[in-house]
C-alpha cells in the first residue's frame, strides 16, 4: 500500500492526558492536528494509573470504614469483600471516563487519529504505519512505563506492575510490593484494607521525595494498619515456590532474609517511552530521564516539543496537562510560556493523604531561603474532631517577608486543600494574604489559616497584640 503523506500544523505523538489536551485545544482553534497512539487512548492515567488506583483506594476506604464504625456509635462489621466485583467497579470507572478520550470523540473534534507506532524518519518527518507525517511542529507526549529492575530470578516468577495489577480478579493472599513510593504505598493500603497481607520493600526511604517528618507520620499510620514496610532493604533475588508462591530474598540491616508471598508487584519507578521513536534521526537529544528540553519544553530540534513524563521531571497527569497548556500558548499564539516547576503540586492518595508544593523545610533551609515554618495540627480542628480524622498537620514554609514558598499537608482531604495553596505559591502570596480571608466554619481548611496566624505570634511583646493574636487563633 502506498504511503499517505499528511502535512498538519501539529503532530502529537501519544494520546495520554498531555497529548489529548494539545490535540483537543489545537483542533478547537481550527488548527489541523494528527494524533498518533500505538496502544490505548487515554494513556497510563486512564487505563493503568490515576483512575483505577483511586477507584481501588475508594473500595478499600469503604471496607475500612465498615470495620471501624464503633468510634461513631455504629457497630463494627466485617466487610464481605468480593474482589472480582471490586475490579468490576474499577473497570466500570474506567469505562465511564473512556468516551471522553476515545477515537470517536477526537475524530468528531476534527483530529485525525492514527492508531500505529510512530518513529522519526528525519528532522521533520514521522512514519506511522502507512502514513508519512510532515508537520510544522511535533509534540512528543508518549508518557512512561514501569521500570523493571534487573533482579535475579525475576524472569522465572509471575510479577505485576501497575499496567497489569488491575487485571486480577482474585485478592492476593500476601502481596509483596517492591518499591515504597506513592504507587507502592497506595496499592499497599488499598489491598490491605480489602483483606490482603501486604509487605513493602524499599531500597532507600519510603516516600523519599516528600517532607521527611510528614512522610514518617504517614508511614507509621500505614504500619498501624498492619502493612509491613521495610526500608533500607533491597530485593536481592527471587525464587518460585510450589503452587504459584514466591520467595523474595531481601538484604538489609539485619542481613539477608526471605519473605514468602503469593503475589509480587514491582513499583520501583518509571521510564519514559522513547525507545521506538528513533529520536537520533530527528536530532533530538535524550537520556534515560527523557527528552532534553529547555524551559519552553522545546527539544534540541526546534520543531519538536516534549511534554509530561517524556520530558523528564515530575511524572504526574496534571504536570502533563500544564505542559500541554504551555505548548499550545507557544505554538498557536507565540506567547512567552516557560515551565515553572516550583508551582507544581503532588499528592499521595493514601488515607490520610499527603500533599506538597514548593520547597520542603529542609530544602528551604539548605538554600538559605527559610524564614519561618508554620504548623497547625488536624487534632486542633473542629471539623477533624467531628469526623474523627485528626491524624496529620499542615506545614507552611515561609521566606523573606512572609512569602509562602512551600506547603505540605498530611491529613484527610489534603489533596483538595492543596488547590488553594497551589494558587498561593503560583501567585507569590504572603502569609498576610491567607490571614485576610474568611474561612467557612467548620472546615478542614481552617488548619491553614490557623497556621498562618501563628506567623505573627513572636512579632511583638505587646500584651494587647498578643491577646489579639490569641483571639484570632481561637476564633479567627
Amino acid at each position: 500500500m502506498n504511503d499517505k503523506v499528511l502535512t498538519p500544523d501539529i503532530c502529537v505523538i501519544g494520546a495520554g492526558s498531555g497529548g489529548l489536551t494539545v490535540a483537543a485545544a489545537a483542533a478547537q482553534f481550527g488548527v489541523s492536528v494528527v494524533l498518533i497512539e500505538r496502544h490505548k487512548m487515554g494513556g497510563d492515567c486512564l487505563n493503568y494509573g490515576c483512575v483505577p488506583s483511586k477507584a481501588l483506594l475508594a473500595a478499600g476506604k469503604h471496607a475500612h470504614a465498615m470495620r471501624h464504625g464503633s468510634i461513631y456509635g455504629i457497630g463494627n462489621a466485617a466487610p464481605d469483600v468480593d474482589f472480582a466485583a471490586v475490579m468490576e467497579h474499577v473497570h466500570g470507572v474506567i469505562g465511564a471516563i473512556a468516551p471522553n478520550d476515545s477515537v470517536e470523540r477526537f475524530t468528531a473534534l476534527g483530529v485525525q487519529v492514527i492508531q500505529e507506532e510512530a518513529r522519526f524518519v528525519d528532522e521533520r518527518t514521522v512514519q506511522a504505519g502507512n502514513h508519512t507525517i510532515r508537520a510544522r511542529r511535533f509534540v512528543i507526549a508518549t508518557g512512561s512505563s514501569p521500570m523493571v529492575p534487573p533482579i535475579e530470578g525475576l524472569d522465572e516468577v509471575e510479577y505485576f506492575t501497575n499496567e497489569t495489577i488491575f487485571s486480577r480478579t482474585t485478592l492476593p493472599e500476601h502481596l509483596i510490593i517492591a518499591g515504597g513510593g506513592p504507587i507502592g504505598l497506595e496499592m499497599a493500603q488499598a489491598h490491605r484494607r480489602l483483606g490482603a497481607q501486604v509487605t513493602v520493600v524499599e531500597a532507600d526511604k519510603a516516600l523519599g521525595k516528600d517532607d521527611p517528618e510528614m512522610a514518617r507520620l504517614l508511614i507509621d499510620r500505614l504500619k498501624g494498619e498492619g502493612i509491613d514496610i521495610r526500608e533500607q532493604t533491597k530485593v536481592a533475588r527471587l525464587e518460585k515456590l510450589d503452587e504459584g508462591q514466591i520467595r523474595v530474598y531481601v538484604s538489609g540491616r539485619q542481613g539477608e532474609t526471605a519473605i514468602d508471598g503469593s503475589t509480587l508487584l514491582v513499583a520501583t519507578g518509571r521510564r519514559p517511552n522513547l525507545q521506538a521513536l528513533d529520536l537520533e534521526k530527528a536530532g533530538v537529544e535524550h537520556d534515560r530521564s527523557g527528552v532534553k528540553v529547555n524551559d519552553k519544553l522545546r527539544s534540541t530540534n526546534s520543531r519538536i516539543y516534549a511534554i509530561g513524563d517524556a520530558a523528564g521531571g515530575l511524572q504526574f497527569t496534571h504536570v502533563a496537562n500544564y505542559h500541554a497548556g504551555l505548548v499550545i500558548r507557544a505554538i498557536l499564539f507565540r506567547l512567552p510560556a516557560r515551565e515553572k516547576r516550583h508551582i507544581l503540586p503532588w499528592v499521595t492518595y493514601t488515607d490520610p493523604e499527603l500533599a506538597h508544593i514548593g520547597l520542603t523545610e529542609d530544602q528551604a533551609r539548605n538554600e538559605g531561603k527559610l524564614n519561618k515554618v508554620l504548623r497547625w495540627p488536624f487534632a486542633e480542628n473542629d471539623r477533624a474532631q467531628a469526623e474523627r480524622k485528626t491524624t496529620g498537620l499542615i506545614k507552611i514554609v515561609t521566606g523573606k517577608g512572609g512569602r509562602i514558598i512551600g506547603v505540605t499537608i498530611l491529613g484527610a482531604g489534603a489533596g483538595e486543600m492543596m488547590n488553594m495553596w497551589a494558587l498561593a505559591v503560583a501567585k507569590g502570596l504572603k502569609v498576610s494574604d491567607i490571614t485576610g480571608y474568611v474561612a467557612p466554619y467548620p472546615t478542614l481548611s481552617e488548619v491553614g489559616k490557623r497556621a498562618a496566624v501563628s506567623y505573627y505570634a513572636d512579632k511583638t511583646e505587646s500584651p494587647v497584640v498578643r491577646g489579639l493574636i490569641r483571639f484570632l487563633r481561637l476564633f479567627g
Side-chain angles (χ1 to χ4, degrees):
M1 184 180 292
N2 295 328
D3 283 358
K4 299 177 182 178
V5 179
L6 305 174
T7 57
D9 288 307
I10 301 175
C11 174
V12 181
I13 306 173
S17 297
L20 293 176
T21 300
V22 172
Q28 288 171 344
F29 280 106
V31 175
S32 58
V33 185
V34 167
L35 174 64
I36 306 173
E37 172 54 54
R38 67 180 181 180
H39 194 33
K40 292 185 177 183
M41 296 288 286
D44 186 83
C45 179
L46 172 63
N47 297 290
Y48 316 115
C50 316
V51 172
S53 64
K54 304 313 166 280
L56 190 67
L57 282 164
K61 184 177 288 187
H62 279 279
H64 183 75
M66 291 180 67
R67 295 189 187 97
H68 297 86
S70 61
I71 194 172
Y72 305 102
I74 300 170
N76 295 339
D80 180 11
V81 177
D82 180 342
F83 197 73
V86 169
M87 283 304 177
E88 286 181 10
H89 149 69
V90 170
H91 289 282
V93 173
I94 295 172
I97 299 172
N100 295 326
D101 297 346
S102 66
V103 172
E104 292 77 12
R105 176 172 181 263
F106 277 79
T107 300
L109 289 174
V111 177
Q112 181 168 354
V113 180
I114 300 173
Q115 294 183 286
E116 299 281 356
E117 185 168 81
R119 60 182 181 84
F120 281 92
V121 176
D122 56 40
E123 293 186 349
R124 61 162 300 172
T125 309
V126 159
Q127 190 74 31
N130 67 326
H131 294 85
T132 299
I133 301 98
R134 294 193 181 100
R136 186 170 63 89
R137 294 287 184 266
F138 293 89
V139 179
I140 299 172
T142 48
S144 63
S145 298
M147 180 176 63
V148 180
I151 303 172
E152 180 183 345
L154 185 62
D155 57 346
E156 299 175 4
V157 303
E158 182 182 25
Y159 67 90
F160 295 86
T161 67
N162 76 292
E163 290 188 350
T164 56
I165 192 69
F166 299 108
S167 65
R168 290 184 58 90
T169 56
T170 57
L171 180 70
E173 179 185 347
H174 181 184
L175 176 63
I176 301 173
I177 301 176
I183 294 174
L185 293 188
E186 287 180 5
M187 290 298 92
Q189 187 177 47
H191 283 86
R192 177 58 185 159
R193 287 181 164 187
L194 291 169
Q197 181 182 348
V198 179
T199 300
V200 178
V201 181
E202 168 55 47
D204 198 352
K205 292 183 178 179
L207 297 174
K209 294 183 179 180
D210 284 280
D211 179 282
E213 177 191 8
M214 307 291 255
R216 181 53 47 193
L217 290 172
L218 175 54
I219 291 165
D220 289 345
R221 169 67 179 266
L222 296 178
K223 288 181 176 180
E225 292 190 13
I227 301 172
D228 182 3
I229 301 177
R230 306 188 187 188
E231 299 177 275
Q232 306 291 336
T233 303
K234 295 182 178 180
V235 175
R237 54 195 173 92
L238 302 168
E239 180 183 344
K240 185 177 181 180
L241 304 179
D242 294 337
E243 298 180 356
Q245 297 292 296
I246 299 171
R247 178 164 292 164
V248 180
Y249 292 92
V250 300
S251 59
R253 296 170 182 172
Q254 306 302 320
E256 185 173 277
T257 58
I259 308 169
D260 289 353
S262 63
T263 310
L264 175 65
L265 171 62
V266 178
T268 51
R270 303 182 64 80
R271 63 177 184 178
N273 296 324
L274 304 176
Q275 296 85 351
L277 290 175
D278 286 345
L279 293 177
E280 294 79 8
K281 294 181 180 179
V284 174
E285 293 184 10
H286 61 98
D287 57 24
R288 59 187 302 176
S289 298
V291 175
K292 294 184 178 181
V293 296
N294 59 19
D295 60 358
K296 297 178 182 178
L297 301 172
R298 227 168 191 167
S299 73
T300 48
N301 179 336
S302 61
R303 292 181 180 274
I304 301 173
Y305 294 78
I307 65 175
D309 292 6
L314 296 176
Q315 296 178 327
F316 300 109
T317 296
H318 53 275
V319 174
N321 289 333
Y322 167 64
H323 284 175
L326 296 179
V327 167
I328 285 294
R329 290 180 62 184
I331 295 178
L332 299 190
F333 305 107
R334 306 292 178 88
L335 295 173
R338 289 181 167 84
E339 182 189 28
K340 299 177 181 178
R341 292 198 175 183
H342 73 282
I343 70 170
L344 300 174
W346 68 81
V347 183
T348 299
Y349 292 93
T350 47
D351 177 20
E353 295 176 351
L354 178 59
H356 175 78
I357 189 169
L359 299 178
T360 65
E361 178 181 355
D362 289 344
Q363 289 170 339
R365 183 178 291 109
N366 293 337
E367 294 182 18
K369 298 178 180 179
L370 182 63
N371 177 7
K372 193 173 183 180
V373 178
L374 313 176
R375 310 160 64 91
W376 197 269
F378 273 59
E380 294 189 31
N381 175 271
D382 293 356
R383 180 65 175 273
Q385 285 290 352
E387 297 192 5
R388 302 295 191 185
K389 297 177 180 178
T390 56
T391 298
L393 71 149
I394 185 171
K395 289 177 69 173
I396 305 172
V397 180
T398 64
K400 185 178 180 181
R403 190 171 301 280
I404 300 165
I405 58 175
V407 179
T408 304
I409 309 171
L410 173 66
E416 297 295 337
M417 292 168 61
M418 185 50 67
N419 283 290
M420 183 186 82
W421 297 102
L423 177 63
V425 171
K427 294 300 182 182
L429 300 186
K430 297 183 177 181
V431 171
S432 57
D433 296 308
I434 304 302
T435 61
Y437 88 97
V438 178
Y441 173 89
T443 56
L444 296 174
S445 295
E446 287 180 284
V447 296
K449 184 169 184 179
R450 298 298 176 88
V453 169
S454 70
Y455 178 81
Y456 300 98
D458 59 355
K459 293 295 182 181
T460 178
E461 293 299 319
S462 165
V464 174
V465 174
R466 285 205 309 270
L468 177 59
I469 291 170
R470 188 177 300 111
F471 176 83
L472 287 173
R473 292 181 68 178
L474 290 173
F475 306 107

